[in-house]
Amino acid sequence: MNAAGLYIHIPFCRSRCSYCDFATGLYESSLAERYVRALVTEIKTWNEVERPHAVDTIYFGGGTPSLLSAAQLGTILAAVQSRFNIAAGAEVTLEMNPGTVTREVLREFRGLGVNRASFGAQTFDDNELARLGRSHSAKETLQTFDWLREAGFENVSFDLIAGLPGQSLTAWRRNLERSLALRPEHLSFYLLEVHEGTPLAEHIRTGKQPSPNPDLAGQMYELMLESASAAGYEHYEISNLCRPGRESRHNTKYWNGAAYYGFGCSAHSYDGERQRWANERNALRYIEAIEQQLNAVAERTELTRDEARAEAVFLGLRLMRGLNTRQYQNHFGIDLRTEHESELKQFQEAGLVEFEGDVIRLTPAGALLSNEVFSAFV
């Protein structure tokens, strides 16, 4: 069996970012303690899959998981090790934000076996950070990065956001230069999405901040690829680059259709075949569900064959290596190139996809307009 990944959601943040649409809330020590107890209970009593796969990636996401103490993180990891078969050399990622950790606690995290940091830099411009509602400064980003290296983290990923309201191409270039100069092993970059109900959406609606410029954001995307490629990074997924061999092993499972098991509020799971399920989104309701019934699953879905086929296409095409149509045909019994001949021809003529043997892949232009390509298969 192929190895699975574990996702563990920590919903607490020091402050709420203006663009955030995730299941998060402000950190309270007493609630965090209760939440950790619920997590440990969920992990130890989990029985959603009769014969779970061995696990070779563990990912703490959020929220800001680095707000947990080393003792709390160690308690969760001990529960994971008691319930699952963890492969030697497993990738263990902890999301963190600058200013939420000390030199000492990073050493403690590393000592617990955390070997990868996903690091929310977002931008190196203090004015842009303030407009996003971020609680850290660019100086704290640099300091935290230095502390990560001192603590022995040899696998660090930066998150960057492009297309911010009022952001210029020159400012974005400065962000790239500062990021690439630090030589993190991995870079995740996102074009800003404005979600209804967030403070940022309200700021734009009322004119407090300008609307993002999609054409300018596209130029920023292209500049990112050009600059990172020149610096030796590989563009392996639509929004992700890495130094050779440093792909996110955990996130790659999502795109390859591997199994992943989620714990904590709003966590999603997939058995690697057809079954998906998701936990209660609200942190307090999640805690109460675990305390009362040892289960917080709020939604279950069985993919139809057509849904499974569509997912295999648009998740597979997210990887820049492309989708192997022969493997797809062996699995689903359908020739993708024949079934979608007209659409694929249009995409090829528009320079959005290219073919190499049995492989279909997005071009750089296709990666920027990927949603338009994916819509043909959904």
Side-chain angles (χ1 to χ4, degrees):
M1 292 190 298
N2 295 327
L6 294 188
Y7 174 81
I8 300 171
H9 189 73
I10 308 299
F12 308 112
C13 287
R14 191 167 67 178
S15 62
R16 181 92 171 165
C17 301
S18 66
Y19 57 90
C20 182
D21 191 40
F22 295 149
T24 64
L26 297 184
Y27 177 85
E28 299 175 23
S29 59
S30 59
L31 183 62
E33 276 291 338
R34 191 177 168 197
Y35 184 84
V36 169
R37 287 196 298 270
L39 257 180
V40 168
T41 299
E42 183 189 16
I43 293 166
K44 287 185 173 181
T45 60
W46 183 85
N47 60 359
E48 291 293 334
V49 176
E50 184 177 347
R51 296 179 58 211
H53 296 248
V55 169
D56 67 355
T57 68
I58 303 169
Y59 193 104
F60 288 87
T64 308
S66 54
L67 287 173
L68 294 183
S69 68
Q72 289 170 325
L73 190 70
T75 298
I76 298 168
L77 285 170
V80 166
Q81 290 159 357
S82 73
R83 179 63 184 83
F84 292 95
N85 177 18
I86 309 300
E91 176 191 85
V92 183
T93 302
L94 183 74
E95 287 187 352
M96 59 184 66
N97 285 326
T100 63
V101 290
T102 64
R103 178 187 276 116
E104 291 73 23
V105 80
L106 286 175
R107 290 196 187 108
E108 291 176 335
F109 287 159
R110 186 67 189 88
L112 290 169
V114 178
N115 53 27
R116 184 173 183 272
S118 181
F119 189 40
Q122 315 308 0
T123 171
F124 287 87
D125 184 306
D126 284 340
N127 290 325
E128 290 176 352
L129 287 168
R131 288 199 295 272
L132 287 173
R134 301 291 290 183
S135 61
H136 72 271
S137 66
K139 182 179 179 181
E140 287 177 307
T141 297
L142 298 172
Q143 182 183 62
T144 305
F145 183 76
D146 286 343
W147 288 348
L148 281 165
R149 292 304 199 206
E150 287 178 20
F153 282 86
E154 299 176 351
N155 195 355
V156 178
S157 176
F158 273 8
D159 285 356
L160 298 173
I161 301 180
L164 304 177
Q167 187 179 45
S168 68
L169 194 60
T170 300
W172 176 241
R173 180 177 280 107
R174 284 197 299 268
N175 275 330
L176 295 181
E177 290 171 351
R178 298 192 75 177
S179 297
L180 295 171
L182 293 170
R183 301 294 292 165
E185 284 66 37
H186 190 277
L187 288 164
S188 294
F189 61 105
Y190 305 98
L191 301 181
L192 180 70
E193 294 184 19
V194 181
H195 297 281
E196 286 301 319
T198 61
L200 180 59
E202 180 65 13
H203 292 168
I204 292 171
R205 188 187 68 80
T206 58
K208 291 181 180 179
Q209 294 199 55
S211 296
N213 182 328
D215 293 332
L216 182 59
Q219 294 178 45
M220 292 176 178
Y221 184 90
E222 293 168 355
L223 179 60
M224 176 76 175
L225 298 184
E226 177 186 320
S227 302
S229 176
Y233 286 79
E234 298 175 351
H235 183 207
Y236 75 95
E237 193 272 342
I238 289 175
S239 297
N240 291 277
L241 301 118
C242 67
R243 289 162 66 180
R246 293 295 195 165
E247 299 91 346
S248 169
R249 287 163 52 190
H250 181 82
N251 288 341
T252 300
K253 291 183 184 297
Y254 301 141
W255 306 314
N256 282 335
Y260 52 89
Y261 310 135
F263 299 93
C265 68
S266 82
H268 286 64
S269 302
Y270 176 51
D271 69 355
E273 297 177 8
R274 293 286 181 87
Q275 302 297 325
R276 295 191 184 279
W277 60 98
N279 279 352
E280 166 62 52
R281 180 179 172 88
N282 178 273
L284 186 56
R285 287 200 294 269
Y286 160 80
I287 292 170
E288 292 172 344
I290 295 296
E291 291 175 342
Q292 294 168 15
Q293 59 199 39
L294 303 181
N295 190 298
V297 174
E299 178 183 338
R300 297 182 187 274
T301 304
E302 181 172 356
L303 296 179
T304 66
R305 184 171 177 79
D306 285 346
E307 288 170 338
R309 287 173 49 204
E311 281 200 3
V313 174
F314 69 73
L315 290 176
L317 283 177
R318 288 195 65 91
L319 291 166
M320 301 312 293
R321 70 175 184 234
L323 178 71
N324 188 302
T325 57
R326 183 175 296 275
Q327 292 176 359
Y328 178 93
Q329 185 169 1
N330 290 341
H331 187 77
F332 292 106
I334 291 171
D335 185 336
L336 188 69
R337 293 181 66 162
T338 299
E339 185 181 46
H340 292 279
E341 182 178 7
S342 61
E343 296 101 320
L344 289 170
K345 182 179 180 181
Q346 291 174 0
F347 292 145
Q348 185 181 30
E349 290 173 349
L352 302 182
V353 302
E354 60 187 14
F355 302 99
E356 182 179 350
D358 294 323
V359 173
I360 305 172
R361 67 170 63 93
L362 296 177
T363 64
L368 184 59
L369 298 173
S370 57
N371 286 340
E372 282 76 1
V373 176
F374 297 159
S375 65
F377 302 99
V378 178

